[in-house]
């Protein structure tokens, strides 16, 4: 099967004034598209050519001869997940039951926000910050470098924030902490996040 760029779940300007249409036009239209194009090129004639995206990610994770396939497949998945982790006119909180789970796991809602921000800001270089559910059901924070993602470590992704510079540089320049604050305060789609709880 050939992989394709999923439709953005909102208009290109829908996240303004927080994330501009200019950022999304490059981030979705150029970067995400390039990962899809590169993946299809790398998989042409490959034994994983007809595998699903998740199957490609799991089969290539940690394999020295499939680094390029893993990086592009994981970035295709990560970006689709990231777009869906946001919605226009957000900025609320999760459902009472999900919020209670987060408060129990992290010692309070504000403590969770602070720890998520800390993970996102301290990921050195390019990568991702995540709220995940581990195999024992517990909620944890994770930061990963480059394309790495929770499913390669047996964890379920609930929420992610892209901290590659291409995600925020046009709108926030070097101010990654302001981008992460804005993401948490105005953009997270908590219904989507909660829908991945097992
Ligand atoms: Mn990105």
């Amino acid at each position: 099967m050939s992989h394709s760029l999923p439709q953005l779940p909102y208009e290109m300007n829908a996240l303004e004034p927080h994330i501009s249409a200019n950022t999304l036009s490059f981030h979705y239209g150029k970067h995400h598209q390039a990962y899809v194009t590169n993946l299809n090129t790398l998989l042409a004639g490959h034994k994983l050519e007809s595998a699903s995206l998740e199957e490609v990610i799991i089969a290539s994770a940690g394999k020295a001869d499939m680094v390029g396939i893993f990086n592009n497949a994981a970035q295709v998945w990560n970006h689709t997940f990231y777009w869906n982790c946001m919605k226009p006119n957000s900025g609320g909180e999760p459902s009472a039951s999900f919020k209670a789970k987060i408060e129990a796991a992290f010692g309070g809602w504000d403590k969770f926000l602070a720890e998520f921000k800390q993970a996102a800001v301290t990921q050195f270089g390019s990568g991702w910050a995540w709220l995940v559910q581990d195999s024992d059901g517990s909620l944890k924070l994770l930061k990963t470098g480059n394309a790495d993602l929770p499913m390669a470590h047996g964890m379920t992704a609930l929420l992610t924030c892209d901290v590659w510079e291409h995600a925020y540089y046009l709108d926030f320049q070097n101010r990654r902490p302001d981008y992460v604050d804005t993401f948490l305060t105005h953009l997270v789609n908590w219904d989507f996040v909660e829908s991945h709880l097992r």
Side-chain angles (χ1 to χ4, degrees):
M1 66 188 264
S2 176
H3 298 275
S4 56
L5 183 68
Q7 187 141 18
L8 202 60
Y10 31 73
E11 296 297 316
M12 208 77 92
N13 63 356
L15 302 181
E16 291 186 345
H18 310 298
I19 292 180
S20 65
N22 192 30
T23 288
L24 284 189
S25 72
F26 282 98
H27 197 184
Y28 169 75
K30 303 291 186 193
H31 290 276
H32 196 180
Q33 176 65 65
Y35 296 126
V36 172
T37 302
N38 292 342
L39 179 62
N40 285 328
T41 300
L42 289 165
L43 287 177
H46 193 276
K47 65 184 176 186
L48 292 173
E49 187 171 22
S50 58
S52 71
L53 183 62
E54 287 79 5
E55 288 168 343
V56 170
I57 291 169
I58 295 300
S60 61
K63 303 277 169 55
D65 58 339
M66 287 196 273
V67 172
I69 289 174
F70 174 79
N71 283 339
N72 284 283
Q75 285 292 78
V76 171
W77 193 95
N78 289 344
H79 283 88
T80 301
F81 194 79
Y82 169 67
W83 307 135
N84 282 285
C85 282
M86 299 185 285
K87 70 171 184 182
N89 305 311
S90 183
E93 293 183 347
S95 69
S97 62
F98 186 41
K99 189 181 177 191
K101 282 193 176 79
I102 290 179
E103 288 171 336
F106 297 99
W109 178 249
D110 290 342
K111 205 148 178 293
F112 159 72
L113 293 177
E115 288 187 21
F116 187 96
K117 182 180 174 182
Q118 176 74 5
V121 168
T122 59
Q123 168 56 38
F124 185 78
S126 297
W128 301 80
W130 307 84
L131 172 65
V132 300
Q133 189 170 28
D134 209 343
S135 51
D136 63 1
S138 61
L139 300 183
K140 293 177 178 171
L141 293 172
L142 185 70
K143 51 184 177 180
T144 60
N146 298 317
D148 195 17
L149 73 178
M151 80 169 79
H153 305 278
M155 299 177 193
T156 302
L158 303 179
L159 169 67
T160 196
C161 183
D162 188 343
V163 295
W164 285 58
E165 279 190 345
H166 66 219
Y168 60 87
Y169 212 83
L170 294 175
D171 296 323
F172 296 88
Q173 294 75 52
N174 62 324
R175 293 176 286 115
R176 190 193 289 187
D178 291 349
Y179 157 66
V180 177
D181 270 338
T182 298
F183 174 84
L184 289 170
T185 308
H186 296 290
L187 295 171
V188 176
N189 180 350
W190 289 109
D191 292 336
F192 177 79
V193 176
E194 184 173 1
S195 74
H196 295 280
L197 268 183
R198 287 175 290 107

